[in-house]
C-alpha cells in the first residue's frame, strides 16, 4: 500500500496523524482518499496552489500518474498566514484587531489632541515638542498610529485574514516583547505599586495584547518545528 506523509499543519487537522497507508492506483486517488482531501484539493479536484506533492522524492503534478504499491507520497503545504490552522490563531486575530482599534483611537484623538494628551498624561512632553514646532505632537501621534497599524496588520496576517507578510514569526515575537515589556518593566509594575488606576488599565491592555501575540508566535514556531521534523524531498 502507498504511504502518504502529511506536513504538521495538515496533520493537526486529523489529531496529529502524519502518516496514512492507502490502497490507491493513482496519485489523485490517494489524495482524494485522505481525510484532509478538502485542504489538499480545491473544488475542481486540482491540487491547491500552496500544496506541492512529491512521489518518492520527485515533484509530481499529474494526478493521473500511476502509483506503485510501495510508493511514498509526501505533501508539502506552504503556510499562507496560517491558512490551515486558523482555529489556533483566534487570540492572534483579537490582538490584530485590538491594534487597529488603537489606530482608530489615535486618529480620532487628533481632533481633540490636547485633551487626549492630558488624559494619557503626556501633555507636558507634547508641549515641549510643540515649543519646537506646532506640528510635532500631531506628527508623532501619526507615527505612533503607523506602528500600531503595522502591528495590527501582522496580527491579522498571522491569523490568516491577510496574505503572509515578510518575517512574520520574528515580527510577532518582537511585538509580543514590546507589549509585555510595556505591561511589566516599562511602567506596569510601578503603576500597580503607585495605585494609578488609569495606567494600570493601560498596562493590563498591553499585557493582554502581548499574550495574544506571544500565543501566535508560539503557534507558528510549533508549526515550523513540525514541518521541518522530516527532511525536505528533492525537487
Amino acid at each position: 500500500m502507498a504511504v502518504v506523509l502529511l506536513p504538521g499543519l495538515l496533520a493537526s487537522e486529523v489529531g496529529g496523524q502524519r502518516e496514512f497507508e492507502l490502497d490507491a492506483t493513482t496519485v489523485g486517488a490517494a489524495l482524494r482518499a485522505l481525510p484532509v482531501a478538502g485542504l489538499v484539493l480545491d473544488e475542481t479536484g486540482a491540487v491547491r496552489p500552496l500544496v506541492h506533492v512529491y512521489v518518492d522524492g520527485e515533484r509530481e503534478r499529474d494526478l493521473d500518474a500511476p502509483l506503485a504499491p510501495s510508493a511514498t507520497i509526501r505533501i508539502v503545504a506552504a503556510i499562507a498566514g496560517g491558512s490551515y490552522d486558523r482555529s489556533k490563531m483566534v487570540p492572534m486575530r483579537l490582538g490584530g484587531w485590538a491594534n487597529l482599534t488603537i489606530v482608530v483611537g489615535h486618529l480620532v484623538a487628533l481632533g481633540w489632541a490636547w485633551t487626549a494628551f492630558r488624559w494619557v498624561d503626556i501633555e507636558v512632553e507634547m508641549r515641549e515638542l510643540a515649543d519646537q514646532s506646532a506640528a510635532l505632537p500631531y506628527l508623532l501621534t501619526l507615527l505612533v498610529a503607523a506602528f500600531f497599524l503595522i502591528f495590527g496588520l501582522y496580527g491579522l496576517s498571522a491569523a490568516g485574514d491577510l496574505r503572509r507578510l515578510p518575517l512574520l514569526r520574528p515580527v510577532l515575537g518582537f511585538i509580543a516583547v514590546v507589549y509585555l515589556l510595556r505591561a511589566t518593566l516599562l511602567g506596569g509594575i510601578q503603576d500597580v505599586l503607585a495605585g494609578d488606576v488609569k495606567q494600570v488599565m493601560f498596562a493590563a491592555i498591553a499585557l493582554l495584547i502581548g499574550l495574544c501575540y506571544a500565543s501566535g508566535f508560539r503557534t507558528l514556531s510549533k508549526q515550523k518545528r513540525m514541518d521541518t521534523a522530516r527532511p525536505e524531498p528533492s525537487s
Side-chain angles (χ1 to χ4, degrees), residues 89 158 168-169 172 216-224:
M89 302 302 280
L168 182 60
R169 192 170 61 95
L172 290 185
F217 175 79
R218 180 177 179 274
T219 298
L220 289 186
S221 297
K222 181 179 179 181
Q223 290 172 346
K224 183 177 181 180

Side-chain angles (χ1 to χ4, degrees), residues 159-197:
D161 297 333
L162 300 175
R163 69 176 183 84
R164 185 178 176 86
L165 295 176
L167 301 175
L168 182 60
R169 192 170 61 95
V171 171
L172 290 185
F174 170 76
I175 296 172
V177 169
V178 169
Y179 271 111
L180 293 177
L181 285 177
R182 167 60 184 89
T184 54
L185 299 181
L186 301 180
I189 296 176
Q190 295 92 323
D191 294 333
V192 171
L193 295 177
D196 188 332
V197 176

